[in-house]
Amino acid sequence: MSSPAAVRAICCIGAGYVGGPTMAVIADRCPHIQVTVVDLNAERIAAWNDPDLSQLPVYEPGLDAVVGRARGRNLHFSTQVEAAIAAADLVFISVNTPTKTRGLGAGQASDLKWVEASARTVARAARGHTIVVEKSTLPVRTAAVIQEILTAAQGEQAGSSFSVLSNPEFLAEGTAIEDLEQPDRVLIGGQDPAAVEALAEIYASWVPQERILRTNLWSSELSKLTANAFLAQRISSINGIAAFCEATGADVREVARAIGADSRIGPKFLQAGPGFGGSCFQKDILNLVYLCRHYGLEEVADYWEQVVALNRWQQQRIARLVITKLFGTVSGKRIGVLGFAFKADTNDTRESPAIRICQELLDEGAILQIVDPKVSERQITLDLGRPAGEGEGSWQQMSTVQQAAAGADALLLLTEWQQFAQIDWPAVAALMRRPAWLFDARAKADASAARAAGLQVWVVGEG
Ligand code: NAD
Ligand code: UGA
């Protein structure tokens, strides 16, 4: 099977957190390639085309500059999905793959309906030879499904042919541009060497060759799920130890430093917190669990499932701890919530620990005063399943920490935004009702300044 020697036009299906930033960096680094990012969501595409770069639908440090350089030159955002596929010699599929909510595998398996729809659209619209690249995170052996859909189309459309590759994305939100510009590795899985090399050549424009790894399709697909499972496992491990530290007088930051100094363990991803959030860790582990069960590997499935169970427990533990410390009831009490995004430097709230923790406090009758520099009121409304309001069991969005603290019995720090490290504690404490608490689930605030200002302070993992 012959493949184009060099890719000249790329289409990316899915203008989300991955498709948008990834294609912007490819376009920026490869001015000789035309890159078109398409999506069915017209509102999202309009936001990507907004002349005001602060209105892009994804907030990532540095993204506006990259889009500003490439957009209109060789980076385009469009709703014309089929036209962009027809013009492309390489198509990335970067659509959402959430956990299934109903039917077979509900609650664990990934819902592949958007991937399948994308493959069918490619089958219909592609012209000549097209390299189809899985960018979404997918269950092992999904490439076989995509290949089957495309092969069926080959029979119908004379002259079209396809090569399927796996090229999972490892960027983390908040550092997406840095991760894309200087990746630890780029992973390409495939059986067609010409297609693998065509994709590798794109990345080679800025990624050193030794960081471009080539594997077979299934290893590539499984490596992505495994990487996320290992990363999430470290967080559940350290969060479990944090609870143990609180019970015994040890300090989880000291423990993390001590174990992280062992070069076999390493210092990264040992930050105790309110549990991991984000659209992927939970979904990818549950998918791994589902696949293990499918292949009869019950013990392996049980092992990984515990990573998710411990994460849920950590979120519940923090909500209950707040209630307990506030004399067993938060009914009618104001609590300032510092941060709603699942981590700092992103506007993304998917699976944010703040959602479950806030819901639990609302169910107990708390009045939440939420402040987050990037998350909109509309998003919080969607996540909490209720609009802003007043009275017991309600929430409001505030613009400053001072507003969040006004009349509050406690502040609960859930996202590690830099600004929360620089709170003027005497001024903020003066606005709160005594006795007042700071619950710092990220160990981000200046705890000694808060204590000096008269607050009682709980810090995750501090015994
Ligand atoms: P997202 O929901 O932000 O974006 C997906 C986009 O695809 C949406 O805008 C949706 O409208 C569009 N879409 C769905 N079906 C379509 C179709 N048939 N035609 C055109 N557009 C369609 O999702 P995301 O966060 O970008 O994640 C995409 C994939 O990348 C997922 O598989 C995810 O697991 C994986 N991933 C995500 C991250 C991350 O940090 N968010 C990192 C690595 C990998
Ligand atoms: C994660 C992975 O880091 C990426 O490599 C992967 O590409 C991505 O998932 C994906 O597949 O979607 P992301 O979820 O964007 O990236 O962000 P992380 O930095 O991994 O943080 C995930 C969650 O873990 C956040 O809630 C964060 O606050 C939490 N976390 C992280 C901790 O609680 N402690 C830590 O030490 C690190």
Side-chain angles (χ1 to χ4, degrees), residues 55-404:
Q55 297 302 312
L56 297 180
V58 169
Y59 172 71
E60 278 293 337
L63 175 64
D64 48 357
V66 177
V67 171
R69 280 196 295 273
R71 199 176 58 185
R73 179 189 71 187
N74 65 327
L75 175 65
H76 315 279
F77 295 94
S78 165
T79 50
Q80 304 294 306
V81 179
E82 300 206 0
I85 293 170
D89 27 41
L90 186 146
V91 176
F92 284 102
I93 298 181
S94 185
V95 298
N96 37 320
T97 51
T99 303
K100 274 183 90 170
T101 51
R102 59 178 184 187
L104 194 64
Q108 286 197 327
S110 286
D111 194 338
L112 298 182
K113 73 177 172 199
W114 292 276
V115 172
E116 188 180 327
S118 301
R120 288 184 190 280
T121 312
V122 175
R124 211 168 42 239
R127 299 284 172 270
H129 185 74
T130 307
I131 300 172
V132 179
V133 185
E134 297 175 339
K135 184 51 101 178
S136 298
T137 302
L138 296 167
V140 204
R141 301 202 72 87
T142 303
V145 177
I146 294 178
Q147 186 72 63
E148 199 176 325
I149 292 170
L150 297 173
T151 307
Q154 254 167 255
E156 289 167 22
Q157 274 204 33
S160 67
S161 61
F162 301 95
S163 294
V164 179
L165 301 178
S166 159
N167 172 221
E169 185 48 60
F170 296 99
L171 69 81
E173 290 179 30
T175 53
I177 299 303
E178 209 180 307
D179 296 341
L180 288 164
E181 291 184 336
Q182 289 163 335
D184 285 352
R185 81 308 209 178
V186 164
L187 179 57
I188 303 176
Q191 334 282 36
D192 171 3
V196 170
E197 292 318 310
L199 180 56
E201 197 181 305
I202 296 173
Y203 286 108
S205 297
W206 77 97
V207 180
Q209 274 297 346
E210 64 275 14
R211 292 196 179 191
I212 303 177
L213 312 183
R214 290 128 169 115
T215 65
N216 78 31
L217 270 169
W218 323 127
S219 304
S220 174
E221 289 176 332
L222 185 54
S223 296
K224 174 61 196 177
L225 293 184
T226 308
N228 275 358
F230 270 58
L231 289 168
Q233 179 201 44
R234 274 174 82 96
I235 301 170
S236 280
S237 298
I238 202 71
N239 283 341
I241 296 299
F244 198 25
C245 287
E246 289 166 33
T248 55
D251 183 328
V252 78
R253 277 162 301 286
E254 293 182 351
V255 173
R257 197 170 80 230
I259 64 167
D262 185 326
S263 61
R264 294 167 303 175
I265 297 175
K268 293 183 181 168
F269 259 70
L270 289 176
Q271 187 83 43
F276 56 77
S279 61
C280 294
F281 279 172
Q282 175 174 300
K283 130 179 122 57
D284 292 347
I285 295 176
L286 291 176
N287 188 217
L288 188 65
V289 167
Y290 179 77
L291 292 170
C292 288
R293 293 236 156 87
H294 172 80
Y295 288 101
L297 302 168
E298 286 296 327
E299 287 75 8
V300 186
D302 292 347
Y303 174 77
W304 287 109
E305 204 164 23
Q306 278 309 304
V307 173
V308 174
L310 199 120
N311 195 52
R312 290 187 178 143
W313 173 79
Q314 176 76 344
Q315 297 176 11
Q316 195 178 58
R317 180 175 90 84
I318 288 174
R320 304 224 164 138
L321 183 138
V322 170
I323 298 165
T324 307
K325 298 273 191 206
L326 295 180
F327 310 118
T329 175
V330 292
S331 184
K333 291 181 181 168
R334 292 179 188 278
I335 299 176
V337 177
L338 309 186
F340 200 81
F342 82 96
K343 63 185 282 196
D345 293 325
T346 176
N347 60 345
D348 196 348
T349 61
R350 289 178 289 180
E351 299 295 335
S352 176
I355 300 173
R356 260 203 210 107
I357 294 172
C358 286
Q359 267 163 349
E360 190 141 344
L361 295 172
L362 289 170
D363 289 347
E364 294 280 337
I367 301 168
L368 302 183
Q369 306 182 149
I370 303 172
V371 59
D372 189 290
K374 289 289 171 197
V375 179
S376 66
E377 179 170 321
R378 179 177 164 211
Q379 190 57 49
I380 299 176
T381 303
L382 286 173
D383 289 335
L384 294 181
R386 58 194 111 185
E390 282 177 17
E392 281 185 22
S394 72
W395 66 274
Q396 283 198 343
Q397 190 175 26
M398 304 296 174
S399 342
T400 64
V401 173
Q402 275 78 0
Q403 286 174 5

